[in-house]
Amino acid sequence: MTSQRLLSGAIAGLVMAASAAAADLRSTLVIPRAAADLLPTTAPGANTNRLGGFFSDISYDRPTGRLLSLTDRGPGGGMIPYDARLQQFSLTVDPATGTISGLQLTRTIPLTAGGQALNGLNPALLNGSPAVLGRSLDPEGLTIARNGNLYVADEYGPSVLEFTPAGTLVRAFATPANLVPREAGGAVNLVAGRPVIATGRQDNRGFEGIAISPDGSRLYAVLQGPLVQEGDPDGRRGRHVRIVEFDTATGQPGRQFVYQLESLADINARLPSGAEPFGANAQGRIIGLSAIVALNATEFLVIERDNRGLGIDDPTSRAPVASKRVYRIDISGATDVSGVSLAGLGELPVGVAPVSKTLFLDVAAALSAAGQTIPEKLEGLAVGQRLNDGRYALLIGTDNDFSATQNDSRVQFDICTDGTAAAQVALNAPCPAGQELLPTYLYSFRVEIPGFVEQIRAP
């Protein structure tokens, strides 16, 4: 059975007609848990062709209807080799209702540089040095250029890369100096976390999303969390996340803006009585941003989320979820902080204005109202097809971490669950009776987006 047939035949569609007062959730697609992608690889294992981490980001090519999704560095947390890739798929969208169905994987695109595959292994393991990015790639954000090329946001660098539609590297953009992770003595270290890293992006909190302006002249890459040093006393206790603007013509970074994460008090207030609250060091470490998409020249949608929900660390969803939200933000009144340090600060300095933000969609509330499981990692976001009534199908996808984990010896295991009980089994071994691997979800919400400007494509 081909992967295309597997995806077409085994996806379960759950269509929800929400009330006028609720979020308009239209469909939930469940990607087959043991599906394979289309790279010509036959070796066994979760790091070869398992279709996991499917929606680390999503991008919709409006002129062609092409949909692309991004897998991250693979199962293993950068400790096990995984060739970087994109997935291309098709999807049927009902133009009247916004419901989605018939997802088919059509192509798996390897990401290469100089004829060699880019790989999810961390720089120290792949290149022999924590200071050399080399072919290491942790792709987390994706958007499409006016000419059809692909921009990918990488978490390791953090960096922005441009690829041809076939996945060949064209160029790497310059990374702002203040984002590069450095030790106290100034040495670059792309692998370690604090306290080894004194400045720059936190480990595993680099660029998590990328968006392109409608005219194609600017890219906007967003970090997942605050810089190591930017919080009181450090980034783990910070709420100020940087958005970086890039010039697509020159590949150079320009302005930076501050996005303020929701306060811990507001997040914890949504937890049920008796639930474990998020601690002070969770603000800038496990509350963060997962995606960004441009609406017009100054406004964007972003996903802000916590680390709770169905996932490899909580396969029975025991911990109550507090934050899975889409916000609409505006940079037009925000201060350029490219030359401003927020080191050691819990609040912004006088005269520094963050981006404005308003709640656009409470995903957790919508899923809860529909009686559905809330997954941990909402990571993919795209404004999809325009519907007959002028609204849009907003697509949100999840990363299931390939339903695999690993021990300190880099031995991988599968995670199985039935929702109430879970088990860890040998990789590719059968799950216990009644249990399955963790699924990947794709949601369609019918939304109004006043002011949305569709991307201008090159002639």
Side-chain angles (χ1 to χ4, degrees):
M1 180 181 290
T2 66
S3 292
Q4 293 98 319
R5 289 177 182 172
L6 180 63
L7 285 168
S8 179
I11 291 178
L14 306 175
V15 179
M16 301 299 303
S19 68
D24 201 1
L25 173 63
R26 304 309 301 169
S27 301
T28 299
L29 299 186
V30 184
I31 310 303
R33 294 146 170 86
D37 68 21
L38 303 178
L39 272 186
T41 307
T42 58
N47 289 65
T48 52
N49 296 99
R50 180 177 293 194
L51 188 60
F54 191 28
F55 295 121
S56 282
D57 206 359
I58 309 169
S59 194
Y60 176 57
D61 189 20
R62 199 167 302 279
T64 66
R66 178 180 59 154
L67 283 156
L68 292 170
S69 68
L70 191 66
T71 57
D72 57 20
R73 60 185 173 179
M79 303 296 288
I80 299 173
Y82 179 78
D83 287 345
R85 64 199 70 183
L86 296 167
Q87 310 291 358
Q88 183 173 312
F89 63 99
S90 62
L91 191 68
T92 299
V93 182
D94 187 313
T97 65
T99 60
I100 56 176
S101 60
L103 189 152
Q104 288 188 305
L105 185 66
T106 58
R107 186 182 180 192
T108 300
I109 305 170
L111 296 178
T112 63
Q116 292 185 295
L118 299 175
N119 198 278
L121 269 176
N122 73 49
L125 292 175
L126 186 62
N127 310 312
S129 169
V132 178
L133 185 59
R135 292 187 297 112
S136 292
L137 180 66
D138 183 5
E140 295 285 356
L142 175 67
T143 195
I144 302 174
R146 292 183 65 200
N147 63 0
N149 277 2
L150 310 172
Y151 294 116
V152 171
D154 158 64
E155 194 157 33
Y156 278 135
S159 53
V160 171
L161 306 174
E162 182 179 357
F163 294 88
T164 68
T168 301
L169 181 67
V170 175
R171 58 174 172 163
F173 284 39
T175 299
N178 65 321
L179 271 59
V180 177
R182 296 181 182 274
E183 300 174 8
V188 174
N189 191 321
L190 303 172
V191 177
R194 63 170 308 279
V196 175
I197 298 301
T199 61
R201 64 106 179 101
Q202 295 186 64
D203 60 300
N204 205 34
R205 309 290 285 183
F207 284 148
E208 191 72 12
I210 191 168
I212 189 169
S213 61
D215 67 0
S217 67
R218 296 288 186 270
L219 289 174
Y220 296 88
V222 60
L223 293 169
Q224 188 171 7
L227 299 182
V228 171
Q229 73 277 19
E230 294 193 335
D232 184 13
D234 57 50
R236 295 175 303 162
R237 291 171 172 81
R239 60 183 298 208
H240 301 130
V241 182
R242 288 179 181 253
I243 300 172
V244 182
E245 183 182 70
F246 291 88
D247 186 314
T248 57
T250 65
Q252 293 297 312
R255 298 180 295 174
Q256 296 181 25
F257 307 102
V258 169
Y259 175 99
Q260 282 192 316
L261 297 171
E262 192 179 10
S263 73
L264 276 177
D266 288 344
I267 292 172
N268 284 329
R270 289 196 295 272
L271 292 172
S273 177
E276 180 182 0
F278 291 94
N281 63 352
Q283 176 70 85
R285 189 61 189 171
I286 58 178
I287 309 293
L289 300 184
S290 287
I292 183 170
V293 62
L295 300 181
N296 50 54
T298 64
E299 293 183 293
F300 307 81
L301 296 180
V302 298
I303 294 177
E304 182 177 335
R305 66 170 178 86
D306 59 27
N307 71 335
R308 295 183 180 179
L310 181 71
I312 61 170
D313 294 323
D314 188 4
T316 57
S317 303
R318 295 188 184 279
V321 170
S323 183
K324 310 286 184 201
R325 295 181 152 203
V326 177
Y327 284 94
R328 182 169 181 154
I329 66 170
D330 191 337
I331 65 173
S332 60
T335 304
D336 176 9
V337 294
S338 56
V340 178
S341 172
L342 305 176
L345 299 179
E347 302 297 334
L348 290 176
V350 174
V352 173
V355 304
S356 64
K357 60 184 283 194
T358 56
L359 181 63
F360 183 80
L361 174 62
D362 189 334
V363 181
L367 296 181
S368 180
Q372 296 190 29
T373 298
I374 302 174
E376 176 196 355
K377 292 188 173 182
L378 301 180
E379 294 200 350
L381 180 66
V383 178
Q385 182 173 319
R386 188 173 187 268
L387 306 178
N388 291 344
D389 63 2
R391 287 182 282 184
Y392 288 85
L394 184 72
L395 302 177
I396 299 178
T398 71
D399 174 5
N400 73 338
D401 285 322
F402 299 78
S403 195
T405 189
Q406 66 286 325
N407 61 24
D408 292 340
S409 299
R410 304 181 197 173
V411 176
Q412 291 183 310
F413 300 91
D414 280 338
I415 302 296
C416 304
T417 184
D418 63 5
T420 59
Q424 192 177 90
V425 303
L427 196 68
N428 295 321
C431 285
Q435 296 186 13
E436 298 181 277
L437 298 178
L438 295 168
T440 298
Y441 298 100
L442 180 64
Y443 305 102
S444 173
F445 289 85
R446 184 170 57 183
V447 297
E448 294 183 13
I449 315 179
F452 178 55
V453 177
E454 297 182 2
Q455 186 189 38
I456 302 168
R457 296 304 298 268

